Each structure stands twice: as structure tokens, then as C-alpha cells.
Amino acid sequence: ICGAYIEARSCERFAVLAPHVDKRLNDFYVSLLRSEARHYQDYLTLAESIATSTSGEDITERVAFFGEVEADLISSSDDDFKFHSGVPV
């Protein structure tokens, strides 16, 4: 599930950047965006498959939980700035 979120954020970054670069780089970013989107789906499919085969559980609640954790990390201050987390102070 965490891997899916990482891939989804990469997908979003390429989607935001692509319209602001030249055509050649735009095409490259769009191809990366599509790749990241597939990876996102692959990670969710893998998590769902593992959960189903081991415990029969639905992963929807876990996906939502990690989404909330991620949203909190993204929107909160971070004294130790890292590329993928927090608003720098």
C-alpha cells in the first residue's frame, strides 16, 4: 500500500510538470506518468492479493488509513525537510 502511494505521488508530479516543458520532455514525462500509474495499480493489486490469500481481508480501510497518514505528513511542518514529506519550516 505504501508503494502504491509512492507511485501515485510520482504520477501526480509528472502530470503537473509535463505541461510546462518542451514537447520532447513532455512526451517523456507523460510516458513516465503512465508507467507510474501502472505501478500504482500493480502495488494495490499485490496488496489486495496478499490480504485476500492470507486473511481474506479487504484492504480498503488500510488504504484510507495510509492516505490519512500521508496527508498529515504532507500538510504539517517538518523541521527535518525531506524530499517527499512535509512543508519546510
Side-chain angles (χ1 to χ4, degrees):
I1 294 170
C2 291
Y5 273 103
I6 291 166
E7 298 299 319
R9 295 308 150 247
S10 294
C11 185
E12 289 174 344
R13 281 191 292 281
F14 287 124
V16 170
L17 291 171
H20 302 285
V21 296
D22 64 64
K23 169 124 176 64
R24 185 173 176 201
L25 192 53
N26 172 285
D27 291 346
F28 179 63
Y29 281 177
V30 168
S31 74
L32 291 175
L33 180 158
R34 290 180 181 138
S35 177
E36 300 297 282
R38 285 189 306 273
H39 296 159
Y40 158 77
Q41 288 297 326
D42 290 342
Y43 275 112
L44 284 182
T45 299
L46 177 62
E48 190 170 59
S49 173
I50 291 169
T52 302
S53 68
T54 58
S55 63
E57 291 184 42
D58 180 1
I59 65 168
T60 305
E61 287 183 28
R62 293 302 287 167
V63 171
F65 168 78
F66 283 109
E68 291 170 16
V69 170
E70 183 195 44
D72 183 52
L73 290 170
I74 290 169
S75 62
S76 63
S77 295
D78 186 352
D79 293 331
D80 180 31
F81 178 72
K82 295 170 229 39
F83 186 74
H84 290 288
S85 68
V87 178
V89 177

